[in-house]
Amino acid sequence: MRRRIVATPGAWLVWGAVGFFFVLLAGVIGSVLVSSFGRRWFDTWLPQSWTTQWYGQAWHEFTLLDVLIVTVEISVLVVAISVLVGVPASYVLARKNFPGRRLLYLLFLLPILMPPITYGIPLATVLYKYGLAGHMAGVVLANLVPSIPFVILTMTPFIEQVDPAIERAARMCGARTGQVFARILAPLLVPGILAASILVLVRTVGMFELTFLTAGPDSQTLVVALYYTMSAAGIRAQQSVDAMAVIYTSMMLVLLVVALRFVNPTQLVARVKEDVE
Amino acid sequence: MTATTRTAPRTALRHRLAERGIDRQLLLLVPALLAVLILFIYPFAYGMGLSFQPAEGGVLGAYRNFFGDAYQRDTIGTTLQLALPAAFLNVAASVPIAYRMRGRFRGKRLLTTLLVVPITLGTVLTAEGLLNFLGPTGWFNRTLLEAGLVDGPLRLTNNYWGVFFSLVITGFPFAFLLILSYLSGIDPTLERAAATLGAGWWPRFHRITLPLLAPGLATTFCLTFVLAFSVFPSAVLVGDPAGTTRVISIAAYHAAYEAYDYSLASAIAVVMGVVELAVVAAVLGVRSLFYTGSTGGKG
């Protein structure tokens, strides 16, 4: 069912709003991109000449390689732990009905509903008390707080749609719980687990507040390093900060393109068939 | 077969528990539960305890400090003035756009992909881009000046509007995608049935779709509001962090990391949580006045 673009006033208004949003977005991304390649850019439409030197400068000046390695290490650890912890829990929540189930679900929902700063500050205080903050361990622990519930919330509906009859059949054929998990459920859940882990990965790479509150000098992720260079701007060329921002965005974009191969963003909440003809 | 037969007397209690859903499988919940308890509930309780033990001023000293000082107290208002309009605009703009875009059309996948981009930009890059784009010599002001619409450059960064725009850029796509998925979860045959019975587009939207969408709207508003409420980097970078956009998270951060007053910081965090939950509760309360029932999708 393809809609013709008919010029009703409502349609114009809607497309106008979308257009305005995209112009704003393109301006925001474009100006950073252009600035990162420009040599001098003050009072003109475009920079006077072009260069790629800012990228080299940003790479060396901010020791970006180290920052990138730390970012990858932290995100992979967070994804692995939250999937290992979250998936079994979401299996139980999806399959079983037991007293206190709703309460437990609410408990898992809370960390997502609270702004990160609210629990981040007490959490950072606790982590500093036990000497965990300021290192990678603290950053990983802090990032687990929203990630585990996030895995649970995305995986529970996914597991609900796997037919329980398959598991019962496996059990009837004599499979134990471990075998049901490894041989039956795991292969069926791979798409869901992939989707959840990529979403957690994107969230962790982009998570600012929690990492900011718990990171030490050797455990900053890219987004936190970017914030520090931006808020301490003035001593550095604006363009090299822009170059760093572009590196960050392209990394996120790669992740995003990978993510969208596995996840349809409109089906995150409700898993429904697209409009049947 | 041997796995399923059990000896009767020893398993009686276990059987009875299993009938109510309690068996060994629940152990799978333990790691996740422990993680949430240790990393979320315990620190929160610890922070709450800390907020009642200020260095001076008795049990409620930290709270008295916060509410007694207009500079601190006003951060609540500042945050709400930013977060509520931003969340409201994001949701209100998403509904007609998503309504028009549900179902299939060419380029839908591209459009949704484009809309996910700002979510991944993060607040920091958005701030940087806004400073460049909306700044006094940025493309936006330049276009307005060239077109003769304004005499001098509009001041859109380092004040309320900079932060507001950044909240719209990061929040709108999020709200849109959620609303779109809620809308596509509503059975389209309901609306077609209404059309067959002669309802125009407004009654169809107003009487059929909107009530079914209400739970989704409430959830989306809450999630968008939470996003906007915890605004921190953009308030510092594109805002005016000492004045008009000194939001509550800045106050909490200052207390913890610049004044090293963990008691006050925890108190602010608690106030922040309470205000946020109050808004969420209010929204869900208003929502429960409307249609509650099956929506076809998971709401």
Side-chain angles (χ1 to χ4, degrees), chain B residues 123-139:
Chain B
T123 34
V124 181
L125 184 105
T126 315
E128 178 76 12
L130 283 172
L131 284 178
N132 284 348
F133 178 61
L134 296 180
T137 59
W139 286 336

Side-chain angles (χ1 to χ4, degrees), chain A residues 1-3 8 10-11 14-15 17-18 20-32 34-35 41-46 85-86 88-89 91-93 96-99 104 107-108 110-119 121-130 141 144-145 148-149 152 157 160 171 177 181 202 208-209 212-213 223 226-228 230-231 238 241-242 245-246 248-249 252-253 256 260-261 263-270 272-277, chain B residues 1 20-23 25-29 31-33 35-44 46-48 50 96-97 99-106 108-109 111-134 137 139-140 142-143 146 165 168-169 172-173 177-178 180-182 184-185 188 192 222-223 226 229-233 236-237 249 252-253 256-257 262 265-266 268-270 272-274 276-277 280 296-298:
Chain A
M1 261 204 335
R2 222 196 301 150
R3 274 204 189 94
T8 60
V14 164
W15 289 110
V18 176
F20 177 74
F21 181 77
F22 278 121
V23 166
L24 193 62
L25 189 61
V28 164
I29 300 176
S31 56
V32 173
V34 168
S35 166
W41 187 16
F42 293 114
D43 206 24
T44 44
W45 280 98
L46 287 172
V85 171
Y91 174 76
V92 178
L93 284 175
K96 300 196 75 77
N97 205 357
F98 53 90
L104 207 61
L107 186 69
F108 287 133
L110 260 184
I112 295 190
L113 271 182
M114 296 293 258
I117 290 257
T118 333
Y119 58 86
I121 287 179
L123 177 63
T125 317
V126 169
L127 289 175
Y128 272 113
K129 196 174 88 169
Y130 292 105
L141 283 177
L144 283 179
V145 177
I148 292 177
I152 294 178
E160 271 170 0
R171 277 191 196 279
T177 306
F181 260 95
V202 172
F208 173 77
E209 285 92 346
F212 178 64
L213 290 174
V223 61
L226 185 61
Y227 173 83
Y228 277 122
M230 259 188 86
S231 55
Q238 170 83 25
V241 178
D242 287 334
V246 171
Y248 169 74
T249 319
M252 288 301 270
L253 269 182
L256 173 79
L260 286 175
R261 289 200 67 82
V263 201
N264 181 354
T266 56
Q267 298 209 338
L268 285 182
V269 195
V272 286
K273 289 185 203 80
E274 296 257 290
D275 192 5
V276 245
E277 310 263 324
Chain B
M1 281 300 149
R20 301 202 54 194
I22 299 170
D23 57 20
Q25 272 191 355
L26 289 192
L27 288 178
L28 292 173
L29 278 172
L33 191 62
V36 172
L37 286 180
I38 295 175
L39 292 173
F40 181 71
I41 302 293
Y42 168 65
F44 212 82
Y46 178 83
M48 210 175 253
L50 214 56
I97 299 177
Y99 189 70
R100 197 156 273 279
M101 287 188 190
R102 82 221 139 105
R104 266 186 222 178
F105 62 90
R106 246 203 300 187
K108 182 174 179 177
R109 183 130 186 133
L111 193 81
T112 43
T113 309
L114 280 178
L115 276 170
V116 188
V117 171
I119 298 183
T120 64
L121 287 183
T123 34
V124 181
L125 184 105
T126 315
E128 178 76 12
L130 283 172
L131 284 178
N132 284 348
F133 178 61
L134 296 180
T137 59
W139 286 336
F140 186 75
R142 196 165 281 282
T143 314
E146 296 273 317
F165 277 120
V168 170
I169 288 191
F172 169 73
L177 289 177
L178 276 173
L180 186 61
S181 67
Y182 280 117
S184 34
R192 258 179 254 155
C222 289
L223 290 175
V226 171
F229 190 73
S230 59
V231 48
F232 177 75
V236 175
L237 298 172
S249 48
Y253 176 77
Y257 288 82
Y262 290 108
S266 309
I268 299 178
V270 170
M272 197 173 160
V274 169
E276 196 246 3
L277 287 182
V280 170
K298 284 198 176 73

